[in-house]
Amino acid sequence: MLFFLISSLFLTPLSSYSLENLEKGKIIDKVICSKEPTQSYALYLPQAYTPEKKWPILYALDPGARGKMPLEHFKKASEKYNYIVVGSNNAQNGPMEPIVRAIIAVWDDTHDRFSIDPQRIYVTGFSGGARVASRFAKIMFTYVTGIIACGAGLSSEITPQEIPPAFYYGIIGNKDFNYLEMKILDGQLSQHKVPHRLLVFDGTHSWPPQDICLRAIECMEIEAMKKDLKPIDKNLIKDIYKRELTDTEALEASGQLFLAVSDYEILEATFRDWMATDEIEKKTAQLKQSESYKRAVKEEKDYQNKELAILKNSRNIISQIENYPFPEMNLNKILDKLKIEDLKREAQNSDNPAPQRNLAFRMLFDLEIYASSKGWSHLEKNDFKRAITFFEVAVQAGAEDSGRQRYSFYGLARAYALNQDKKNAIKNLELAVKNGFNNVSAMEQEDDLQFIRQTPEFKKILNSIKK
């Protein structure tokens, strides 16, 4: 395996591929890897691209192998700052071997096909893709200039000290169930003096909006100028500084002092070499001495402790569901112990402070995803009664209009059908379809649904999708 990796990196002839029909300034859904035809990637080439010069490249990893998805989010930044952006259509959450194979195939093809600056290799990923992104340099035995990690932190195979020389840019939604993980990682990176930044945006567990992705690339541009990887552009530095300052002042004005002070400190450290930052340093010192900031620090710590306590409680209860003798299980008691209704009230009460609402939302989201994964695990083991309990927890914790709930409802339909409960099997299949489930072949062929497949209700649901 090691020989194969090294061979692919250093012994591949640098053939000059034509650009074929690779239109610039447009997302191309599928470029077939010439040496690995089973592998492909989505591509965005900036309009300015020519093979006569070297270009920075951003490799993107989506947990569902949706290569086009990250390109939609980084397209604006790519065009403005002239980055080639590619997203594997094969790398997805799961075993590492196929992920490594996909990364190598895309690496080889892009290096054969395009003119790439070897000192400006960047990688981004969302959720499980972010964890793989943190390992990219090790996987490829190569230099990585920057990592943009969205919605999750490091792989378990990587420690904070192993991130350099890459600059680590973390992005997390304030309603993302991995929020606490990223906040803890932020502290660890600071402790080990790893160059990094954590940006919190208003959102859930998803690829961040285009403007947030643009800010991440602008940070990489600043870092490239610091390292003499690109010429210093004083006008660009001033523009980026002005935008970052405006955003930070908006945080301060909205009362988010904990985040504002952190961003002021980053601004001062980032731009001190190029412009006078005395006023920012002075303001930061004054804010840190204020009673408002001290309260904000205490509140942040209190919220973190509360979040840890809720997570510990939910994990304990999930563990109990897995180990209870089944006759002793009672769904209503379980829901009561998980305090799902209390969390919903906190999340929906507009009178509550935003951090309190966001915390409740994160905990519900985490419980929904975690319980649903347990439901599928037990369904695969044919432990359908326990699967029913987990899926019921998931749909109770989830938002009623959440499209992602279609999978939990479909899992419930299958589990109830195995339990020969026609009424609940049909009810949840209807809810799955109402929430967007439309996989006709799965419904027609799934063995678990055999108990209800010949019923008029099932046929009606199936025909409604076909129409």
Side-chain angles (χ1 to χ4, degrees):
M1 181 65 179
L2 180 60
F3 174 77
F4 170 71
L5 285 170
I6 294 174
S7 298
S8 68
L9 285 173
F10 301 114
L11 303 182
T12 302
L14 297 176
S15 51
S16 179
Y17 285 77
S18 69
L19 291 183
E20 305 156 355
N21 296 318
L22 303 181
E23 186 177 346
K24 293 183 281 187
K26 177 183 176 181
I27 293 176
I28 299 168
D29 293 358
K30 191 173 184 179
V31 177
I32 304 292
C33 295
S34 60
K35 296 173 184 173
E36 291 283 346
T38 60
Q39 302 284 335
S40 70
Y41 55 92
L43 168 71
Y44 187 87
L45 276 179
Q47 293 186 54
Y49 177 83
T50 66
E52 284 71 41
K53 61 171 283 191
K54 301 291 186 182
W55 301 80
I57 188 167
L58 176 67
Y59 291 97
L61 299 164
D62 181 83
R66 302 168 298 178
K68 182 180 177 181
M69 177 71 76
L71 275 61
E72 296 281 5
H73 293 263
F74 280 94
K75 179 173 67 173
K76 181 178 178 181
S78 168
E79 191 58 51
K80 185 170 184 177
Y81 294 105
N82 294 319
Y83 281 59
I84 302 168
V85 187
V86 297
S88 170
N89 290 321
N90 301 88
Q92 62 182 328
N93 281 355
M96 276 305 297
E97 185 177 348
I99 295 173
V100 172
R101 189 182 307 122
I103 290 173
I104 291 173
V106 174
W107 174 279
D108 283 350
D109 198 78
T110 51
H111 277 73
D112 282 344
R113 203 182 292 262
F114 307 115
S115 180
I116 294 171
D117 185 344
Q119 291 187 298
R120 300 201 63 193
I121 305 292
Y122 301 91
V123 59
T124 185
F126 163 61
S127 194
R131 301 191 194 285
V132 176
S134 70
R135 293 184 61 186
F136 192 93
K138 278 193 169 184
I139 291 170
M140 294 306 303
F141 296 97
T142 192
Y143 170 85
V144 167
T145 316
I147 300 167
I148 302 173
C150 310
L154 305 182
S155 162
S156 59
E157 308 294 324
I158 293 289
T159 64
Q161 302 95 304
E162 293 177 286
I163 293 296
F167 185 93
Y168 188 89
Y169 197 102
I171 304 174
I172 193 72
N174 55 12
K175 300 179 185 70
D176 192 322
F177 54 82
N178 285 329
Y179 174 85
L180 183 58
E181 173 197 344
M182 292 296 277
K183 295 292 288 185
I184 292 172
L185 176 60
D186 182 39
Q188 292 171 338
L189 292 171
S190 296
Q191 178 185 349
H192 293 288
K193 295 181 169 47
V194 176
H196 76 286
R197 181 170 186 185
L198 176 65
L199 179 63
V200 178
F201 71 98
D202 185 19
T204 61
H205 190 64
S206 62
W207 280 102
Q210 278 197 0
D211 287 346
I212 299 296
C213 294
L214 177 66
R215 289 178 67 179
I217 292 296
E218 287 181 336
C219 179
M220 297 303 170
E221 290 293 285
I222 292 293
E223 291 300 314
M225 284 186 266
K226 279 186 175 181
K227 296 175 181 177
D228 294 326
L229 300 179
K230 67 169 291 179
I232 293 174
D233 183 336
K234 292 186 177 179
N235 289 329
L236 176 60
I237 291 168
K238 288 179 182 177
D239 286 345
I240 295 175
Y241 173 78
K242 185 177 179 181
R243 284 196 294 275
E244 290 287 337
L245 181 59
T246 299
D247 288 333
T248 305
E249 288 173 339
L251 282 177
E252 181 189 352
S254 66
Q256 300 180 69
L257 291 186
F258 186 84
L259 292 176
V261 167
S262 175
D263 279 7
Y264 277 132
E265 288 178 330
I266 290 168
L267 269 176
E268 195 276 326
T270 302
F271 293 94
R272 67 163 71 114
D273 293 340
W274 291 309
M275 58 185 61
T277 56
D278 296 352
E279 287 301 313
I280 290 182
E281 191 174 5
K282 183 179 178 182
K283 175 184 267 195
T284 305
Q286 289 174 342
L287 284 173
K288 291 179 90 168
Q289 292 301 314
S290 70
E291 291 302 317
S292 298
Y293 176 73
K294 291 175 182 177
R295 282 196 303 273
V297 172
K298 183 180 183 305
E299 286 173 0
E300 178 75 9
K301 186 175 181 180
D302 290 344
Y303 281 127
Q304 286 194 11
N305 289 337
K306 182 179 180 181
E307 192 158 341
L308 285 169
I310 294 172
L311 283 170
K312 182 179 179 181
N313 179 60
S314 68
R315 294 299 186 268
N316 285 339
I317 294 168
I318 294 294
S319 176
Q320 290 169 13
I321 297 172
E322 293 202 281
N323 296 305
Y324 271 165
F326 215 84
E328 296 180 16
M329 299 184 68
N330 181 291
L331 180 60
N332 289 329
K333 286 183 178 179
I334 289 168
L335 296 175
D336 186 54
K337 286 182 179 180
L338 289 167
K339 300 182 179 179
I340 288 176
E341 289 305 315
D342 290 345
L343 288 170
K344 283 187 173 181
R345 280 191 291 271
E346 285 192 30
Q348 295 165 5
N349 188 348
S350 58
D351 292 334
N352 288 336
Q356 184 178 344
R357 296 198 306 272
N358 293 339
L359 187 155
F361 187 98
R362 291 195 297 270
M363 295 299 91
L364 288 166
F365 197 176
D366 174 84
L367 186 56
E368 177 191 357
I369 299 299
Y370 192 60
S372 182
S373 70
K374 291 291 184 181
W376 287 109
S377 174
H378 284 277
L379 191 59
E380 288 175 5
K381 299 173 186 174
N382 208 34
D383 186 358
F384 50 84
K385 290 187 177 182
R386 218 171 294 270
I388 287 170
T389 302
F390 279 121
F391 283 130
E392 289 285 8
V393 169
V395 299
Q396 289 295 321
E400 292 179 6
D401 59 349
S402 167
R404 65 180 175 270
Q405 280 206 319
R406 62 187 180 271
Y407 301 112
S408 293
F409 282 127
Y410 183 63
L412 265 175
R414 287 174 54 181
Y416 275 121
L418 287 171
N419 200 36
Q420 299 193 343
D421 184 338
K422 172 188 164 184
K423 180 181 177 181
N424 278 312
I426 293 295
K427 170 189 168 185
N428 283 285
L429 190 58
E430 288 174 340
L431 288 168
V433 172
K434 181 181 177 182
N435 277 266
F437 189 85
N438 59 5
N439 191 332
V440 171
S441 62
M443 291 172 61
E444 288 180 327
Q445 298 172 27
E446 181 56 63
D447 290 341
D448 293 354
L449 296 176
Q450 188 62 40
F451 180 71
I452 60 171
R453 187 166 288 123
Q454 300 307 317
T455 64
E457 295 92 340
F458 179 89
K459 292 177 181 178
K460 182 180 178 181
I461 295 169
L462 196 63
N463 288 333
S464 71
I465 300 175
K466 289 181 177 179
K467 289 179 182 178

